[in-house]
Amino acid sequence: MTIPKSLKLANLPTKIEKLERLSKSLGDINIYIKRDDQTGTEVSGNKVRKLEFAVQEALDQGCDYLITCGGIQSNHARATAAVAAKLDINSYLVLRSNGDDPVEGNYFLNKILGAEICLITPEEYRDNRMKVMEEIQRELAGQGHKAYILPEGASNGIGTFGYYQAMEEILEQEAELDVKFDAIVTAVGSGGTYAGLFYANKLRKNEAKIYGINVCDDADHFKNRVQELVHESIQYTKRPIHFKKEDIHMIDGYVGEGYAQSRQEELTFILDFAKLEGIILDPVYTGKAMYGLVEEIKKGSFNGFKNILFIHTGGLYGLFPKGNQLF
Ligand SMILES: *Cc1c(COP(=O)(O)O)cnc(C)c1O
């Protein structure tokens, strides 16, 4: 099947490693991790895979500006700023802030990468972020620019192909490693990563179950969102898949205090995991999701599963502003 064409910006394929000590500590199960945190340095994490497709579409439309939005520590916004700089076009980031955020982590990197930044309040972000981005697009048009608006997380029909392609990469790696994953697990924040994995998994008639662990909203919200995204992606391929909402496995219960808010047990888990495996998780996504996966394995939710693949979707820079809470 042909999927839309894309830029080549990420270091691919990312490796798959077995988490030897974590697996041993959990008993009769093998946990593997796919290092999508190593897709690059400036562009690191899962967003670059989605941007490879979405920004190709922007360039094909003749755009010279990327406008996007996210939280103050958005990994997606930082990846967008890095991609724009790399391609010699411009980025405009609309970030949610109370106005007192220190220039740290991703926000700091955005400034280094030369992004134009507009901070808006959480209320304005919730109610009007699209309007704000459209207003910027109009202003830029008045100055002779053409801007492409990327939704939160680059999770739209085109961006989703980044993880469609990642699923194909995983299938090739299974053959190389001689292992078959019964489950693939990812954090879910805007749904595109999950949707891409799910679409390719179904289309390729692979048997693995795809699990999402939501870090905001709730399971029902994301089941609907994933359905919408898969249908948007099908507009590009004309290759429908048949699935029910129940086929979308979303594990709720690990949002904790709320999006980008950390509980002590999550932070302690990140520290323990770093010492155990030499791999650093992030506080907003992968720390919560891996914590959730381990809790669910302990509860018996994955009894009978042999090999589980966790996608390390990145986010390291978002850990730096948590320094005070960690130590
Ligand atoms: C955005 C993000 C996710 C969530 O991916 P979605 O496609 O938005 O659901 C997971 N991990 C990290 C580190 C992210 O930045």
Side-chain angles (χ1 to χ4, degrees), residues 1 164 167-168 171 174 180-182 184 196-210 239-243 247:
M1 189 187 80
Y164 180 100
M167 186 66 219
E168 296 200 313
L171 294 175
E174 280 188 328
K180 195 84 197 109
F181 300 116
D182 326 290
I184 299 172
L197 293 169
F198 182 84
Y199 182 27
N201 192 57
K202 268 269 184 258
L203 205 59
R204 296 282 299 261
K205 298 193 167 39
N206 190 47
E207 298 281 296
K209 287 200 167 87
I210 313 290
R239 289 284 301 272
I241 53 168
H242 299 286
F243 66 99
D247 299 339

Side-chain angles (χ1 to χ4, degrees), residues 77-307:
R78 181 258 311 146
T80 301
V83 166
K86 187 89 187 159
L87 298 174
D88 197 25
I89 58 174
N90 309 289
S91 60
Y92 208 123
L93 312 175
V94 175
L95 303 177
R96 179 179 55 219
S97 168
N98 286 315
D100 55 356
D101 292 291
V103 183
E104 274 190 85
N106 286 302
Y107 182 35
F108 171 65
L109 296 175
N110 292 337
K111 292 195 179 250
I112 291 181
L113 290 161
E116 289 167 57
I117 298 171
C118 145
L119 301 181
I120 60 175
T121 64
E123 296 70 40
E124 218 182 335
Y125 188 90
R126 188 190 59 223
D127 301 333
N128 287 323
R129 61 179 179 273
M130 201 56 193
K131 275 206 198 105
V132 172
M133 290 196 288
E134 283 165 358
E135 179 61 32
I136 292 167
Q137 189 180 39
R138 268 193 299 278
E139 262 174 44
L140 291 169
Q143 298 159 23
H145 294 290
K146 188 165 179 195
Y148 183 96
I149 298 181
L150 290 152
E152 239 178 4
S155 285
N156 55 10
I158 186 78
T160 293
F161 284 102
Y163 274 86
Y164 180 100
Q165 201 175 48
M167 186 66 219
E168 296 200 313
E169 188 177 301
I170 292 167
L171 294 175
E172 279 171 29
Q173 288 176 307
E174 280 188 328
E176 282 162 24
L177 298 167
D178 195 25
V179 53
K180 195 84 197 109
F181 300 116
D182 326 290
I184 299 172
V185 182
T186 181
V188 173
S190 62
T193 301
Y194 187 98
L197 293 169
F198 182 84
Y199 182 27
N201 192 57
K202 268 269 184 258
L203 205 59
R204 296 282 299 261
K205 298 193 167 39
N206 190 47
E207 298 281 296
K209 287 200 167 87
I210 313 290
Y211 286 88
I213 299 180
N214 56 294
V215 302
C216 53
D217 297 293
D218 60 21
D220 197 57
H221 168 83
F222 282 114
K223 286 187 182 199
N224 291 327
R225 187 66 197 128
V226 166
Q227 279 185 305
E228 287 167 7
L229 284 169
V230 170
H231 287 124
E232 279 179 39
S233 295
I234 290 169
Q235 301 306 309
Y236 289 86
T237 61
K238 313 291 179 210
R239 289 284 301 272
I241 53 168
H242 299 286
F243 66 99
K244 297 186 292 287
K245 207 167 152 181
E246 303 88 79
D247 299 339
I248 300 171
H249 302 289
M250 203 61 68
I251 301 176
D252 216 334
Y254 297 96
V255 176
E257 299 276 295
Y259 177 77
Q261 308 287 313
S262 298
R263 293 183 290 169
Q264 198 51 51
E265 55 262 50
E266 295 159 8
L267 296 174
T268 303
F269 178 83
I270 290 172
L271 298 181
D272 292 344
F273 186 83
K275 279 176 274 186
L276 187 68
E277 293 288 352
I279 296 174
I280 303 177
L281 300 168
D282 83 289
V284 183
Y285 299 94
T286 56
K288 287 185 181 182
M290 182 64 94
Y291 174 74
L293 173 61
V294 168
E295 289 297 305
E296 292 296 316
I297 290 171
K298 287 184 189 159
K299 277 202 271 177
S301 309
F302 287 91
N303 282 354
F305 285 68
K306 232 177 100 194
N307 300 311

